[in-house]
Amino acid sequence: MSDAAQLMDRMYRRQRHIYDLSRKFYLLGRDEAIAGLHAGPGVSVLEIGCGTGRNLVKLARAYPGAHLFGLDVSREMLASAAAAMARAGLSARVALGQGDATAFDSAALFGRARFDRVMISYALSMIPPWREALERALEVLAPGGSLHLVDFGPGAGLPGPFRSGLRRWLAAFDVTPRDDLGAALEALSAERGLTCKIETRFRGYAVLAVARPPSPRSGEGGP
């Protein structure tokens, strides 16, 4: 098992049982990101850093015809995700696999090399080599596919004391907002001929971003 997997397993061995209950109050923007996927019948969706499977259950209900896949480095979190799929009656619809976000083999794990949609929700802020994870996410996009991100933002519009306190609190859980996430995504997308839409929410508390091919007519948009 990799060092990253061991670290995440230690962190979430007990936390995973209360993770969704506690995180719903501050992991803002996840449902908006899910709504933006527009994953119709037959569309493949991979969530990198799927954790307890909360988003995958939401995805399955929002897009009943989509093919869903979840990746996480932690076996503990994947155990919770598998249990969540079973409770929701989704075990046959959602494939789960263990892998490092920076170097996973999607063909070996899921039987396919590319996905129409890739989503990363509040995971890049927990992955030290987050740029490598971002690159890998773009690498597994199918032609015409789109990458959807939601994570902690720079918080420029938040009151100074609140922002400082939030950062200290997040650091206690090994979470580091990636203030240059937008710039990194723009640069990596430009290298691949993709366009970016990057927005902040809640006075900069959260950032939502989408990278997709340019529209043939407008230069923006997506599949």
Side-chain angles (χ1 to χ4, degrees):
M1 188 185 300
S2 69
D3 291 343
Q6 292 177 352
L7 175 63
M8 291 298 101
D9 280 349
R10 286 196 300 271
M11 181 180 298
Y12 290 120
R13 185 163 289 119
R14 293 181 177 84
Q15 282 193 48
R16 67 187 178 92
H17 300 293
I18 60 168
Y19 185 92
D20 290 333
L21 180 63
S22 61
R23 266 60 173 184
K24 71 178 183 179
F25 299 109
Y26 64 88
L27 298 187
L28 307 178
R30 292 180 293 174
D31 291 343
E32 185 176 351
I34 289 170
L37 289 172
H38 302 298
V43 169
S44 57
V45 182
L46 169 67
E47 183 181 15
I48 296 175
C50 65
T52 62
R54 180 264 186 193
N55 291 336
L56 290 169
V57 172
K58 294 271 187 177
L59 282 163
R61 291 171 177 165
Y63 307 112
H67 303 301
L68 305 178
F69 305 85
L71 176 87
D72 205 280
V73 74
S74 169
R75 290 181 180 175
E76 297 287 344
M77 284 301 228
L78 287 172
S80 287
M85 298 309 114
R87 286 193 302 271
L90 296 170
S91 298
R93 276 199 59 201
V94 181
L96 301 172
Q98 185 189 22
D100 189 313
T102 67
F104 62 93
D105 185 340
S106 58
L109 287 170
F110 303 118
R112 64 169 65 215
R114 300 286 185 269
F115 303 86
D116 301 310
R117 307 283 188 274
V118 176
M119 179 178 176
I120 310 179
S121 169
Y122 286 95
L124 292 177
S125 52
M126 296 194 68
I127 301 173
W130 64 272
R131 289 180 180 83
E132 289 86 342
L134 195 55
E135 288 185 54
R136 184 63 187 139
L138 289 166
E139 288 171 356
V140 298
L141 278 183
S146 53
L147 170 64
H148 301 253
L149 306 176
V150 58
D151 214 313
F152 292 104
L158 296 171
F162 178 85
R163 182 176 183 271
S164 299
L166 174 65
R167 297 259 167 153
R168 288 194 298 271
W169 183 70
L170 292 175
F173 296 93
D174 294 318
V175 175
T176 305
R178 309 305 182 187
D179 292 342
D180 52 346
L181 173 58
L185 180 62
E186 286 180 339
L188 290 171
S189 297
E191 293 174 2
R192 293 161 173 79
L194 303 175
T195 63
C196 284
K197 182 179 181 181
I198 301 169
E199 300 177 317
T200 58
R201 293 288 186 273
F202 317 108
R203 301 178 69 177
Y205 179 96
V207 59
L208 286 93
V210 180
R212 53 165 54 104
S215 166
R217 288 181 293 179
S218 67
E220 294 185 358

PDB file of all heavy atoms in Angstrom, residues 129-146:
ATOM      1  N   PRO A 129       0.646  16.450  -4.133  1.00  0.00           N
ATOM      2  CA  PRO A 129       1.000  16.671  -5.542  1.00  0.00           C
ATOM      3  C   PRO A 129      -0.268  16.931  -6.378  1.00  0.00           C
ATOM      4  O   PRO A 129      -0.600  16.195  -7.310  1.00  0.00           O
ATOM      5  CB  PRO A 129       1.694  15.368  -5.936  1.00  0.00           C
ATOM      6  CG  PRO A 129       1.048  14.335  -5.086  1.00  0.00           C
ATOM      7  CD  PRO A 129       0.685  15.007  -3.790  1.00  0.00           C
ATOM      8  N   TRP A 130      -0.999  17.986  -6.021  1.00  0.00           N
ATOM      9  CA  TRP A 130      -2.318  18.207  -6.614  1.00  0.00           C
ATOM     10  C   TRP A 130      -2.246  18.557  -8.098  1.00  0.00           C
ATOM     11  O   TRP A 130      -3.161  18.230  -8.850  1.00  0.00           O
ATOM     12  CB  TRP A 130      -3.069  19.293  -5.841  1.00  0.00           C
ATOM     13  CG  TRP A 130      -2.439  20.658  -5.880  1.00  0.00           C
ATOM     14  CD1 TRP A 130      -1.498  21.144  -5.026  1.00  0.00           C
ATOM     15  CD2 TRP A 130      -2.725  21.709  -6.807  1.00  0.00           C
ATOM     16  NE1 TRP A 130      -1.163  22.433  -5.357  1.00  0.00           N
ATOM     17  CE2 TRP A 130      -1.908  22.808  -6.451  1.00  0.00           C
ATOM     18  CE3 TRP A 130      -3.575  21.835  -7.901  1.00  0.00           C
ATOM     19  CZ2 TRP A 130      -1.926  24.013  -7.154  1.00  0.00           C
ATOM     20  CZ3 TRP A 130      -3.597  23.029  -8.602  1.00  0.00           C
ATOM     21  CH2 TRP A 130      -2.791  24.102  -8.229  1.00  0.00           C
ATOM     22  N   ARG A 131      -1.158  19.196  -8.525  1.00  0.00           N
ATOM     23  CA  ARG A 131      -1.036  19.510  -9.960  1.00  0.00           C
ATOM     24  C   ARG A 131      -0.927  18.231 -10.789  1.00  0.00           C
ATOM     25  O   ARG A 131      -1.487  18.143 -11.883  1.00  0.00           O
ATOM     26  CB  ARG A 131       0.170  20.417 -10.207  1.00  0.00           C
ATOM     27  CG  ARG A 131      -0.016  21.842  -9.689  1.00  0.00           C
ATOM     28  CD  ARG A 131       1.212  22.687  -9.969  1.00  0.00           C
ATOM     29  NE  ARG A 131       1.052  24.051  -9.492  1.00  0.00           N
ATOM     30  CZ  ARG A 131       1.266  24.434  -8.236  1.00  0.00           C
ATOM     31  NH1 ARG A 131       1.639  23.545  -7.322  1.00  0.00           N
ATOM     32  NH2 ARG A 131       1.086  25.701  -7.876  1.00  0.00           N
ATOM     33  N   GLU A 132      -0.204  17.238 -10.254  1.00  0.00           N
ATOM     34  CA  GLU A 132      -0.101  15.960 -10.954  1.00  0.00           C
ATOM     35  C   GLU A 132      -1.467  15.275 -11.028  1.00  0.00           C
ATOM     36  O   GLU A 132      -1.804  14.652 -12.043  1.00  0.00           O
ATOM     37  CB  GLU A 132       0.911  15.059 -10.256  1.00  0.00           C
ATOM     38  CG  GLU A 132       2.360  15.495 -10.419  1.00  0.00           C
ATOM     39  CD  GLU A 132       2.800  16.516  -9.380  1.00  0.00           C
ATOM     40  OE1 GLU A 132       1.924  17.157  -8.742  1.00  0.00           O
ATOM     41  OE2 GLU A 132       4.016  16.675  -9.195  1.00  0.00           O
ATOM     42  N   ALA A 133      -2.244  15.387  -9.963  1.00  0.00           N
ATOM     43  CA  ALA A 133      -3.595  14.820  -9.976  1.00  0.00           C
ATOM     44  C   ALA A 133      -4.464  15.523 -11.012  1.00  0.00           C
ATOM     45  O   ALA A 133      -5.267  14.887 -11.718  1.00  0.00           O
ATOM     46  CB  ALA A 133      -4.226  14.935  -8.594  1.00  0.00           C
ATOM     47  N   LEU A 134      -4.301  16.833 -11.115  1.00  0.00           N
ATOM     48  CA  LEU A 134      -5.052  17.600 -12.110  1.00  0.00           C
ATOM     49  C   LEU A 134      -4.665  17.186 -13.526  1.00  0.00           C
ATOM     50  O   LEU A 134      -5.529  17.004 -14.402  1.00  0.00           O
ATOM     51  CB  LEU A 134      -4.778  19.086 -11.888  1.00  0.00           C
ATOM     52  CG  LEU A 134      -5.698  20.100 -12.550  1.00  0.00           C
ATOM     53  CD1 LEU A 134      -7.151  19.857 -12.196  1.00  0.00           C
ATOM     54  CD2 LEU A 134      -5.274  21.510 -12.138  1.00  0.00           C
ATOM     55  N   GLU A 135      -3.381  16.994 -13.746  1.00  0.00           N
ATOM     56  CA  GLU A 135      -2.918  16.539 -15.056  1.00  0.00           C
ATOM     57  C   GLU A 135      -3.484  15.166 -15.394  1.00  0.00           C
ATOM     58  O   GLU A 135      -3.927  14.929 -16.528  1.00  0.00           O
ATOM     59  CB  GLU A 135      -1.387  16.491 -15.081  1.00  0.00           C
ATOM     60  CG  GLU A 135      -0.707  17.842 -15.099  1.00  0.00           C
ATOM     61  CD  GLU A 135       0.798  17.710 -15.257  1.00  0.00           C
ATOM     62  OE1 GLU A 135       1.238  17.053 -16.220  1.00  0.00           O
ATOM     63  OE2 GLU A 135       1.531  18.244 -14.407  1.00  0.00           O
ATOM     64  N   ARG A 136      -3.466  14.265 -14.427  1.00  0.00           N
ATOM     65  CA  ARG A 136      -3.982  12.914 -14.687  1.00  0.00           C
ATOM     66  C   ARG A 136      -5.474  12.957 -14.998  1.00  0.00           C
ATOM     67  O   ARG A 136      -5.957  12.214 -15.869  1.00  0.00           O
ATOM     68  CB  ARG A 136      -3.718  12.016 -13.463  1.00  0.00           C
ATOM     69  CG  ARG A 136      -4.126  10.565 -13.688  1.00  0.00           C
ATOM     70  CD  ARG A 136      -3.320   9.916 -14.789  1.00  0.00           C
ATOM     71  NE  ARG A 136      -3.813   8.575 -15.126  1.00  0.00           N
ATOM     72  CZ  ARG A 136      -3.921   8.097 -16.343  1.00  0.00           C
ATOM     73  NH1 ARG A 136      -3.564   8.838 -17.389  1.00  0.00           N
ATOM     74  NH2 ARG A 136      -4.351   6.869 -16.560  1.00  0.00           N
ATOM     75  N   ALA A 137      -6.208  13.808 -14.311  1.00  0.00           N
ATOM     76  CA  ALA A 137      -7.642  13.937 -14.580  1.00  0.00           C
ATOM     77  C   ALA A 137      -7.888  14.387 -16.011  1.00  0.00           C
ATOM     78  O   ALA A 137      -8.794  13.882 -16.691  1.00  0.00           O
ATOM     79  CB  ALA A 137      -8.266  14.918 -13.597  1.00  0.00           C
ATOM     80  N   LEU A 138      -7.085  15.307 -16.491  1.00  0.00           N
ATOM     81  CA  LEU A 138      -7.235  15.772 -17.866  1.00  0.00           C
ATOM     82  C   LEU A 138      -6.820  14.697 -18.865  1.00  0.00           C
ATOM     83  O   LEU A 138      -7.396  14.586 -19.950  1.00  0.00           O
ATOM     84  CB  LEU A 138      -6.404  17.045 -18.085  1.00  0.00           C
ATOM     85  CG  LEU A 138      -6.950  18.296 -17.384  1.00  0.00           C
ATOM     86  CD1 LEU A 138      -5.887  19.397 -17.374  1.00  0.00           C
ATOM     87  CD2 LEU A 138      -8.218  18.797 -18.070  1.00  0.00           C
ATOM     88  N   GLU A 139      -5.842  13.884 -18.478  1.00  0.00           N
ATOM     89  CA  GLU A 139      -5.376  12.820 -19.373  1.00  0.00           C
ATOM     90  C   GLU A 139      -6.429  11.759 -19.631  1.00  0.00           C
ATOM     91  O   GLU A 139      -6.447  11.150 -20.703  1.00  0.00           O
ATOM     92  CB  GLU A 139      -4.121  12.156 -18.792  1.00  0.00           C
ATOM     93  CG  GLU A 139      -2.873  13.023 -18.851  1.00  0.00           C
ATOM     94  CD  GLU A 139      -1.711  12.425 -18.072  1.00  0.00           C
ATOM     95  OE1 GLU A 139      -1.903  11.375 -17.419  1.00  0.00           O
ATOM     96  OE2 GLU A 139      -0.619  13.014 -18.096  1.00  0.00           O
ATOM     97  N   VAL A 140      -7.315  11.518 -18.655  1.00  0.00           N
ATOM     98  CA  VAL A 140      -8.301  10.448 -18.824  1.00  0.00           C
ATOM     99  C   VAL A 140      -9.627  10.956 -19.386  1.00  0.00           C
ATOM    100  O   VAL A 140     -10.607  10.209 -19.448  1.00  0.00           O
ATOM    101  CB  VAL A 140      -8.552   9.680 -17.505  1.00  0.00           C
ATOM    102  CG1 VAL A 140      -7.278   9.017 -17.032  1.00  0.00           C
ATOM    103  CG2 VAL A 140      -9.142  10.581 -16.434  1.00  0.00           C
ATOM    104  N   LEU A 141      -9.660  12.206 -19.828  1.00  0.00           N
ATOM    105  CA  LEU A 141     -10.863  12.721 -20.477  1.00  0.00           C
ATOM    106  C   LEU A 141     -10.999  12.128 -21.876  1.00  0.00           C
ATOM    107  O   LEU A 141     -10.040  12.101 -22.647  1.00  0.00           O
ATOM    108  CB  LEU A 141     -10.813  14.246 -20.601  1.00  0.00           C
ATOM    109  CG  LEU A 141     -11.217  15.088 -19.403  1.00  0.00           C
ATOM    110  CD1 LEU A 141     -11.165  16.562 -19.783  1.00  0.00           C
ATOM    111  CD2 LEU A 141     -12.600  14.707 -18.908  1.00  0.00           C
ATOM    112  N   ALA A 142     -12.195  11.685 -22.201  1.00  0.00           N
ATOM    113  CA  ALA A 142     -12.476  11.237 -23.563  1.00  0.00           C
ATOM    114  C   ALA A 142     -12.545  12.452 -24.481  1.00  0.00           C
ATOM    115  O   ALA A 142     -12.777  13.575 -24.017  1.00  0.00           O
ATOM    116  CB  ALA A 142     -13.802  10.478 -23.590  1.00  0.00           C
ATOM    117  N   PRO A 143     -12.333  12.283 -25.776  1.00  0.00           N
ATOM    118  CA  PRO A 143     -12.490  13.401 -26.708  1.00  0.00           C
ATOM    119  C   PRO A 143     -13.863  14.046 -26.536  1.00  0.00           C
ATOM    120  O   PRO A 143     -14.881  13.356 -26.499  1.00  0.00           O
ATOM    121  CB  PRO A 143     -12.352  12.728 -28.079  1.00  0.00           C
ATOM    122  CG  PRO A 143     -11.499  11.528 -27.822  1.00  0.00           C
ATOM    123  CD  PRO A 143     -11.901  11.041 -26.460  1.00  0.00           C
ATOM    124  N   GLY A 144     -13.869  15.358 -26.387  1.00  0.00           N
ATOM    125  CA  GLY A 144     -15.118  16.067 -26.166  1.00  0.00           C
ATOM    126  C   GLY A 144     -15.584  16.075 -24.725  1.00  0.00           C
ATOM    127  O   GLY A 144     -16.627  16.651 -24.405  1.00  0.00           O
ATOM    128  N   GLY A 145     -14.816  15.457 -23.834  1.00  0.00           N
ATOM    129  CA  GLY A 145     -15.211  15.368 -22.436  1.00  0.00           C
ATOM    130  C   GLY A 145     -14.891  16.624 -21.648  1.00  0.00           C
ATOM    131  O   GLY A 145     -14.215  17.537 -22.129  1.00  0.00           O
ATOM    132  N   SER A 146     -15.346  16.655 -20.392  1.00  0.00           N
ATOM    133  CA  SER A 146     -15.149  17.838 -19.555  1.00  0.00           C
ATOM    134  C   SER A 146     -14.755  17.445 -18.138  1.00  0.00           C
ATOM    135  O   SER A 146     -15.167  16.407 -17.620  1.00  0.00           O
ATOM    136  CB  SER A 146     -16.417  18.702 -19.525  1.00  0.00           C
ATOM    137  OG  SER A 146     -17.554  17.944 -19.152  1.00  0.00           O
TER     138      SER A 146
END
